[in-house]
Amino acid sequence: MARQTVVLGAGMVGVSIAWHLRQRGHEVTLVDRLQPGRETSFGNAGIIQREAVRPYPFPRDVKTLLSVLPNRRVDIRYRPAGMVNAASPLLRYWMNSAPKTYQKIVPEYASLIQLSLKTHGPMIEAAGAEHLVRRQGWLELYRTPEKLAARITEAEEARRLYGVQFEQLDKAALAQKEPSLSDTIIGAIHWLDPWTVADPGGLVAAYAQAFSNDGGRILQSDIKSVQQMGDRWQVNTAAEALEVDDVVVALGPWAGSWLKELGYHFPTFVKRGYHMHYAPQAPAKLNFWVMDAEVGYLLAPMNAGVRLTTGAELDRLDAPADVNQLGAAEKVARSVFPLGERRDDAPWKGARPCLPDMKPVIGPAPRHPGLWLAFGHGHQGFTLGPATGHLMADMMEGQPTAIDMAPFRADRF
C-alpha cells in the first residue's frame, strides 16, 4: 500500500512537496483554505533567485539602524506593537547577523539556493509552464559608484564560492537594455542565472495542476485540527476528516501558531510586504525585472502590469495594512521609470515566514513520528519550494539527500 500523506499549505513550498511525493507514488492530499498559490506565493517579486546565496541579515551598523528609526525608509519599516510582539526572535535575528555567525550561516543557506534552478526545471516542464518563465536574469540598479563597487566585490565572491554568474553594466550598457530608466541610475549588476516569472501565483497553480493531473488530490477547506492517532494522523477540515500516515506542515507564516497546538514553540516572525500593478506610460517599456538597490523596491514586467513590490515591514501577521511604505516606494519608482495609472483596486498585502537564523526548517518534527515540517523560508519560499520538495521527499523515504540537512533540522531551536 502506498503511504498516505496530507500536505497542509498550498503555496510554492507545499505544492512542491505534494508534487514530489506524488511522483514517488504516495497518495497525497493537498489542503488549503484557498486555491493553490493565492497567499504568500501570489504576491512576491517572481524571481527564482539562484544568485541569492546570502540571506538578508539584520542591519548591524549604527548609521543604518539610526536611518531606520524615523520609519520612513522604503526597504524596511516597522510598527512598535509588531516589534514588541516579535522582540525575542528579532533579537536572535540581530545576534545571528553578527559577522562571524553570519559567515557560518551563508554556506548552509547557499547549499539550498544552489538547488533552485535544477529543481524548478522539471516542474516547469511537467506543468507546461514555459510560457510564464523568462531565462534572462534581472538587473540590480545603483545610483552611486561606491555602492555599486562594493556590491561588485560581493558578487565576485559569490561567483568564486558558489558559481554565481553576473555582468557589470555601465550607464551606456544599461541604457541599451533599459532605455526608459532615469539618468539618476549610473550602472547595474545583471544577474545572469536567475529565472523570472510573469505570474508567480500562476506558476504555483500550474504546478498544482500537474500534481492533480498525476493523481494528487487538492482539498480546498479550512483546517480545523491535527491530531496524532496511534501511529497515524487525523487531519480535521471543515469539509471532512482525513486519516493518514504522514502530515507535512507547510503553512508559511501560519506554521508557528499551528505548531503550538502540538507543543512546538518556534521563534517565528514575519516580514510583511505589499505590491501594486501599474500600466507603463507609452511608449516606455520595462524589459527586465529591476531592483532599485539603494532604495529598496523592485519593478517587474508581469502579465498583470508592472508590479512594484516593497521591502520588509516588521509587524504582526494579522495587523491592518499600512500602505505608506508602498506610497513612498511608488513616489521614488515614478522618478526612475515612467509608471502610469494603478491597475489594482487596492494594494496586495502578504507576509514572509521568517526564523532568526535566516534558514528554514525542513525535516521531521522532533517528538512526533509521521509529522514533517517545511516552513520559515523568509524571502525565498518561491525560489526554494521545489528544492524543499525534493529534499523532503528524500527524507520521508529514508533516501540520501543532495545536501546536508542538519542545518535545517527542527530541533536546532
Side-chain angles (χ1 to χ4, degrees):
M1 291 287 289
R3 287 190 73 81
Q4 297 174 313
T5 304
V6 164
V7 178
L8 304 179
M12 179 61 87
V13 174
V15 167
S16 297
I17 293 169
W19 185 86
H20 274 282
L21 289 173
R22 184 62 204 141
Q23 288 287 297
R24 301 180 189 213
H26 292 238
E27 292 185 14
V28 186
T29 301
L30 180 64
V31 182
D32 201 308
R33 62 183 180 180
L34 297 180
Q35 294 176 356
R38 303 304 295 179
E39 292 274 16
T40 307
S41 297
F42 178 80
N44 62 69
I47 308 176
I48 302 170
Q49 286 193 254
R50 169 61 179 85
E51 91 295 343
V53 292
R54 290 176 170 268
Y56 290 101
F58 198 101
R60 299 271 306 181
D61 63 286
V62 174
K63 183 180 179 181
T64 301
L65 290 171
L66 289 176
S67 73
V68 171
L69 286 178
N71 216 15
R72 294 175 182 169
R73 289 177 58 132
V74 169
D75 58 345
I76 183 166
R77 295 213 178 182
Y78 65 91
R79 287 197 223 176
M83 297 290 284
V84 170
N85 185 63
S88 177
L90 286 174
L91 176 61
R92 294 167 72 174
Y93 179 22
W94 180 81
M95 293 173 66
N96 282 318
S97 299
K100 285 187 178 180
T101 306
Y102 181 72
Q103 288 308 315
K104 293 178 182 177
I105 290 170
V106 169
E108 297 170 344
Y109 184 84
S111 69
L112 270 181
I113 291 288
Q114 289 176 290
L115 299 175
S116 57
L117 299 182
K118 65 182 70 174
T119 50
H120 267 279
M123 294 186 68
I124 291 168
E125 183 178 358
E130 289 285 351
H131 63 288
L132 296 175
V133 180
R134 305 178 193 176
R135 292 170 168 83
Q136 62 181 18
W138 65 279
L139 307 179
E140 189 172 312
L141 311 180
Y142 283 86
R143 300 158 182 268
T144 56
E146 297 79 12
K147 290 186 177 179
L148 175 56
R151 186 61 166 149
I152 290 293
T153 299
E154 292 181 352
E156 288 172 342
E157 181 183 64
R159 178 164 58 192
R160 184 177 71 254
L161 296 177
Y162 306 112
V164 172
Q165 299 301 309
F166 70 94
E167 179 184 2
Q168 182 176 353
L169 304 178
D170 61 17
K171 197 166 188 175
L174 177 60
Q176 289 289 319
K177 294 182 183 294
E178 289 291 0
S180 298
L181 294 181
S182 162
D183 286 343
T184 59
I185 306 301
I186 58 94
I189 295 174
H190 184 185
W191 299 107
L192 300 171
D193 299 307
W195 300 344
T196 53
V197 179
D199 180 355
L203 184 64
V204 179
Y207 287 174
Q209 187 61 53
F211 160 74
S212 179
N213 292 345
D214 195 41
R217 183 188 178 209
I218 299 173
L219 175 60
Q220 186 179 337
S221 183
D222 282 319
I223 305 161
K224 297 299 184 182
S225 65
V226 179
Q227 299 173 305
Q228 193 169 26
M229 310 278 289
D231 61 353
R232 302 264 288 171
W233 287 87
Q234 183 169 303
V235 177
N236 296 303
T237 76
E240 61 184 275
L242 304 166
E243 192 173 315
V244 293
D245 301 296
D246 299 291
V247 173
V248 181
V249 178
L251 288 167
W254 296 275
S257 58
W258 265 102
L259 288 166
K260 286 178 182 177
E261 297 182 15
L262 293 168
Y264 295 98
H265 296 272
F266 290 97
T268 56
F269 66 100
V270 297
K271 295 181 186 177
R272 305 196 328 171
Y274 300 86
H275 84 223
M276 172 62 68
H277 293 103
Y278 303 81
Q281 292 184 31
K285 180 184 178 185
L286 191 64
N287 300 311
F288 288 81
W289 273 238
V290 299
M291 178 184 177
D292 191 343
E294 294 178 50
V295 178
Y297 65 89
L298 185 140
L299 295 175
M302 294 194 177
N303 290 347
V306 176
R307 177 179 291 188
L308 186 158
T309 63
T310 66
E313 179 190 49
L314 297 172
D315 200 355
R316 293 172 294 113
L317 174 61
D318 57 353
D322 180 351
V323 297
N324 290 325
Q325 186 180 24
L326 178 69
E330 179 183 318
K331 183 177 180 181
V332 178
R334 288 186 181 281
S335 72
V336 172
F337 178 82
L339 295 173
E341 71 277 5
R342 288 185 169 190
R343 285 187 167 175
D344 303 329
D345 293 334
W348 177 90
K349 174 178 72 72
R352 307 170 183 96
C354 301
L355 288 162
D357 64 357
M358 293 159 272
K359 298 175 296 185
V361 166
I362 305 171
R367 300 187 303 274
H368 293 80
L371 181 64
W372 302 84
L373 311 178
F375 65 93
H377 292 75
H379 292 258
Q380 300 296 353
F382 188 76
T383 293
L384 294 175
T388 300
H390 194 283
L391 293 165
M392 181 66 84
D394 283 338
M395 297 177 80
M396 291 176 71
E397 294 198 327
Q399 299 295 320
T401 53
I403 62 172
D404 179 12
M405 297 305 295
F408 312 103
R409 66 187 188 274
D411 62 2
R412 70 185 193 266
F413 295 110

